[in-house]
């Protein structure tokens, strides 16, 4: 059966793609997803260069990250509603083109307000891209090969956040920061051209649903308040700041009103009734909590390596890059063979490997070498290959085909929010625990301890002043303190990953390839 040459009936799903058309569609959709996810992290390491170029402080420069995150978090759950209004193909291609335009404008920005405005635009139009890439990929494959579609999608979703800082650091060091945005232009134009050429005759049904204005306003208010709380909390010392307290209260109250309103609305902007489906709820919870832990370590590792282990941006990137090797090699294998196994077993394997990797990292010391860092990163690639594919399959197993865009949008929103929450919790606990370790270690540095007195005397004898000697010791204490704190977080992550294996088994049995089967199990 070949790809249709004419539009399918509005109410009949088009047949799967075959041959070169399916391959090209997979590459184009994956490229668009990769470009989108990459942009959530690529600017992080470029902030000093951006802040210096537009003449602001690094703290003000963080709004480049925050503005994108807030706009993106608001637009992702709107995917289902927007798809009904405009159709999945039109919406996806429009999102790619607008994202590409916003990327160009970001690169051309000459001031911080300009850059923030265009980052808001970029984040807002990027929202539907990830959920719809998943939807269109799944519609391109026959039921028995949906696992392969999910494999392609999961590879880009998990590898891109790791590659972002590596690519961003290299571009900032060797070219200039606007190119972190310009690289999206050829990728975006190519992806949009290929997707439109293949999918324009495969548009999903459209209907003019009323605008849930109250739900939309409530969504904007509570999501924006929550994202600002997570992004600015550490900088403002969390709940010691009246601004953070106000934002947190706004997020909580707005969320409560949003839930009540949406559950009673005939045409909700976000379909919360999806959570009545057991497998969708269980899998969304498991994938979001797992992603939050994963993303916390993605943020923590480069910070520790660069700030306390003497790694440059390039070498920190090389130390984290091995995570993609097994992910890329094994994802197609997992996707192809998923229909043969209960997806809950495959997801459990992912969590066990994640736990093993976290335990290995909890043994790191300040003497750790590159290859000791390499091994757990390499092994974690196997966890990534077995993480998204089965859990997405489980989450969509009871969802009707026409609900997939909405379900993917809601699930992506919860996952992205947990990722932001994980990053905030990890960095906050890391600094807090390091402070406690530093205080405990510093108690031993006093004139009444012979070891400390002898060390100080030797350092001064080598030509250092007392203040210089104490500064060197303080740096060593910081290195030890932050390493101990990181080890504790890795150990806690190992335990939490083990516990998450239990969560998966609350879902009903699912064999891969049954995503979008519909029905309420």
């Amino acid at each position: 059966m070949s790809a249709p040459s004419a539009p399918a009936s509005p109410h009949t799903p088009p047949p799967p793609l075959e041959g070169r058309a399916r391959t090209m569609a997979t590459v184009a959709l994956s490229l668009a997803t990769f470009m989108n996810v990459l942009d959530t992290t690529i600017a992080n390491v470029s902030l000093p260069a951006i802040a210096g170029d537009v003449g602001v402080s690094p703290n003000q420069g963080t709004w480049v990250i925050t503005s994108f995150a807030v706009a993106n978090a608001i637009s992702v759950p709107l995917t289902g509603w927007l798809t009904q209004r405009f159709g999945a193909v039109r919406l996806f291609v429009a999102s790619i083109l607008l994202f590409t335009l916003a990327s160009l404008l970001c690169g051309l920005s000459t001031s911080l307000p300009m850059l923030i405005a265009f980052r808001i635009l970029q984040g807002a139009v990027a929202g539907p891209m990830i959920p719809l890439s998943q939807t269109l990929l799944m519609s391109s494959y026959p039921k028995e090969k949906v696992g392969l579609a999910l494999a392609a999608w999961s590879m880009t979703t998990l590898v891109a956040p790791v590659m972002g800082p590596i690519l961003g650091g290299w571009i900032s060091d060797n070219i200039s920061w606007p190119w972190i945005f310009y690289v999206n232009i050829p990728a975006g134009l190519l992806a949009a051209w290929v997707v439109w050429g293949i999918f324009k005759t495969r548009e999903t049904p459209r209907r003019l649903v009323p605008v849930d204005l109250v739900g939309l306003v409530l969504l904007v208010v509570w999501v924006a308040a929550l994202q600002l709380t997570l992004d600015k909390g550490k900088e403002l010392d969390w709940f010691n700041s009246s601004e953070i307290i106000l934002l947190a209260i706004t997020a909580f109250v707005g969320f409560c009103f949003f839930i009540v309103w949406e559950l009673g609305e005939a045409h909700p902007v976000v379909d919360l009734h999806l959570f009545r489906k057991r497998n969708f709820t269980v899998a969304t919870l498991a994938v979001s909590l797992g992603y939050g832990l994963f993303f916390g370590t993605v943020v923590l590792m480069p910070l520790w390596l660069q700030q306390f282990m003497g790694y440059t941006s390039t070498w920190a990137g090389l130390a984290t890059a091995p995570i993609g090797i097994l992910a890329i090699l094994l994802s197609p294998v997992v996707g192809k063979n998923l229909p043969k196994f209960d997806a809950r077993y495959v997801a459990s394997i992912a969590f066990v490997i994640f736990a093993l990797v976290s335990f290995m990292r909890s043994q790191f010391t300040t003497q750790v070498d590159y290859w000791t860092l390499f091994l757990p990163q390499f092994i974690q690639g196997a966890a990534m290959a077995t993480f998204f594919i089965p859990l997405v399959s489980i989450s969509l197993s009871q969802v009707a085909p026409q609900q997939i865009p909405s379900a993917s949008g809601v699930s992506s929103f919860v996952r992205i929010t947990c990722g932001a929450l994980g990053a905030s919790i990890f960095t906050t606990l890391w600094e807090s625990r390091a402070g406690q370790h530093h205080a405990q270690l510093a108690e031993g540095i006093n004139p009444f301890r012979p070891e400390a007195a002898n060390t100080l005397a030797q350092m001064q004898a080598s030509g250092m002043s007392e203040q210089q000697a104490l500064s060197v010791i303080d740096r060593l204490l910081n290195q030890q303190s932050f390493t101990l704190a990181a080890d504790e977080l890795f150990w806690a992550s190992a335990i939490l990953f083990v516990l998450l294996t239990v969560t998966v088994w609350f879902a009903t049995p699912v064999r891969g390839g049954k995503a979008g089967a519909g029905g309420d199990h």
Side-chain angles (χ1 to χ4, degrees):
M1 188 183 296
S2 60
S5 58
S9 169
H11 302 292
T12 304
L17 294 170
E18 286 195 354
R20 189 175 68 174
R22 189 164 70 199
T23 301
M24 291 177 63
T26 302
V27 172
L29 291 167
S30 298
L31 179 62
T33 305
F34 186 85
M35 177 180 68
N36 184 321
V37 180
L38 189 74
D39 249 55
T40 62
T41 58
I42 195 172
N44 293 19
V45 295
S46 305
L47 279 183
I50 295 173
D53 201 35
V54 299
V56 298
S57 69
N59 279 348
Q60 289 175 298
T62 59
W63 282 102
V64 174
I65 308 298
T66 303
S67 55
F68 179 91
V70 171
N72 190 247
I74 291 169
S75 62
V76 167
L78 296 175
T79 302
W81 178 76
L82 290 170
T83 300
Q84 291 184 73
R85 298 272 296 198
F86 304 107
V89 179
R90 287 183 181 85
L91 177 60
F92 185 72
V93 172
S95 293
I96 297 176
L97 293 175
L98 288 172
F99 182 86
T100 304
L101 174 62
S103 298
L104 172 64
L105 295 173
C106 286
L108 295 173
S109 298
T110 56
S111 67
L112 185 64
M114 277 182 66
L115 182 55
I116 290 174
F118 294 136
R119 281 287 276 177
I120 291 173
L121 173 63
Q122 190 185 38
V125 300
M129 287 171 63
I130 293 177
L132 288 181
S133 67
Q134 184 187 108
T135 302
L136 294 175
L137 261 180
M138 291 175 62
S139 73
S140 304
Y141 284 72
K143 286 285 186 182
E144 64 273 12
K145 293 185 177 180
V146 163
L148 283 173
L150 295 177
W153 183 84
S154 68
M155 277 194 295
T156 54
T157 306
L158 281 171
V159 173
V162 181
M163 293 300 297
I166 300 170
L167 185 59
W170 186 88
I171 289 174
S172 297
D173 290 343
N174 296 279
I175 311 178
S176 61
W177 68 263
W179 282 93
I180 66 175
F181 300 112
Y182 292 155
V183 294
N184 292 330
I185 297 172
L189 293 176
L190 176 62
W193 177 65
V194 174
V195 170
W196 181 251
I198 294 175
F199 288 93
K200 63 184 176 183
T201 59
R202 300 167 63 86
E203 185 59 277
T204 58
R206 290 176 290 160
R207 62 192 185 101
L208 198 62
V209 293
V211 178
D212 176 17
L213 189 59
V214 174
L216 182 60
V217 170
L218 288 171
L219 176 71
V220 170
V221 168
W222 83 262
V223 171
L226 175 63
Q227 196 67 42
L228 287 170
T229 301
L230 297 176
D231 283 3
K232 310 302 290 184
K234 188 162 72 72
E235 179 187 325
L236 299 176
D237 197 20
W238 291 104
F239 294 106
N240 290 320
S241 163
S242 57
E243 182 179 338
I244 294 299
I245 292 173
L246 179 61
L247 284 169
I249 292 173
T250 302
F252 178 74
V253 174
F255 174 73
C256 292
F257 275 101
F258 174 77
I259 295 295
V260 173
W261 178 269
E262 291 297 277
L263 289 176
E265 173 64 24
H267 300 282
V269 72
V270 178
D271 186 7
L272 298 180
H273 294 97
L274 288 163
F275 287 102
R276 290 177 178 172
K277 301 178 186 296
R278 177 175 167 182
N279 280 9
F280 177 80
T281 301
V282 170
T284 298
L285 179 65
V287 77
S288 300
L289 293 177
Y291 186 78
L293 289 172
F294 164 76
F295 199 72
T297 61
V298 166
V299 171
L300 186 61
M301 280 289 291
L303 286 176
W304 174 62
L305 291 175
Q306 291 180 68
Q307 293 181 18
F308 302 102
M309 298 300 292
Y311 279 62
T312 62
S313 296
T314 302
W315 274 102
L318 290 173
T320 55
I323 201 170
I325 298 173
L326 284 180
I328 293 171
L329 293 176
L330 294 180
S331 288
V333 177
V334 173
K336 183 178 180 180
N337 291 284
L338 188 63
K340 302 175 184 178
F341 303 99
D342 186 332
R344 297 175 300 177
Y345 284 105
V346 183
S348 297
I349 290 171
F351 286 127
V352 169
I353 299 174
F354 273 130
L356 172 64
V357 167
S358 295
F359 175 75
M360 294 172 69
R361 288 175 176 158
S362 71
Q363 309 303 307
F364 285 168
T365 68
T366 55
Q367 308 303 315
V368 67
D369 59 21
Y370 175 81
W371 293 107
T372 306
L373 294 170
F374 176 97
L375 185 58
Q377 288 293 111
F378 178 76
I379 294 172
Q380 185 163 263
M384 294 166 67
T386 52
F387 175 59
F388 259 126
I389 303 171
L391 287 173
V392 171
S393 179
I394 292 171
S395 72
L396 300 180
S397 62
Q398 298 172 354
V399 175
Q402 66 271 19
Q403 290 181 300
I404 287 180
S406 183
S408 298
V410 173
S411 180
S412 295
F413 166 70
V414 179
R415 176 177 55 80
I416 291 168
T417 301
C418 282
L421 185 62
S424 294
I425 290 174
F426 264 67
T427 52
T428 300
L429 287 178
W430 186 46
E431 293 188 1
S432 174
R433 292 297 301 159
Q436 295 179 40
H437 285 301
H438 187 282
Q440 292 169 353
L441 293 172
E443 290 176 358
I445 310 299
N446 62 71
F448 304 105
R449 297 223 22 192
E451 301 90 343
N454 289 337
T455 301
L456 281 170
Q458 290 172 10
M459 295 174 76
Q460 289 176 273
S462 68
M464 292 185 186
S465 67
E466 181 180 5
Q467 190 59 44
Q468 288 173 327
L470 289 173
S471 295
V472 170
I473 291 173
D474 186 61
R475 284 198 298 272
L476 291 172
L477 291 182
N478 273 331
Q479 185 187 41
Q480 293 289 344
S481 300
F482 278 90
T483 301
L484 288 170
D487 288 348
E488 289 176 342
L489 286 173
F490 292 138
W491 177 255
S493 297
I495 295 172
L496 291 173
F497 275 125
V498 170
L499 293 177
L500 280 176
T501 60
V502 178
T503 307
V504 177
W505 291 91
F506 283 97
T508 56
V510 173
R511 290 187 181 273
K514 293 191 177 181
D520 291 303
H521 294 208

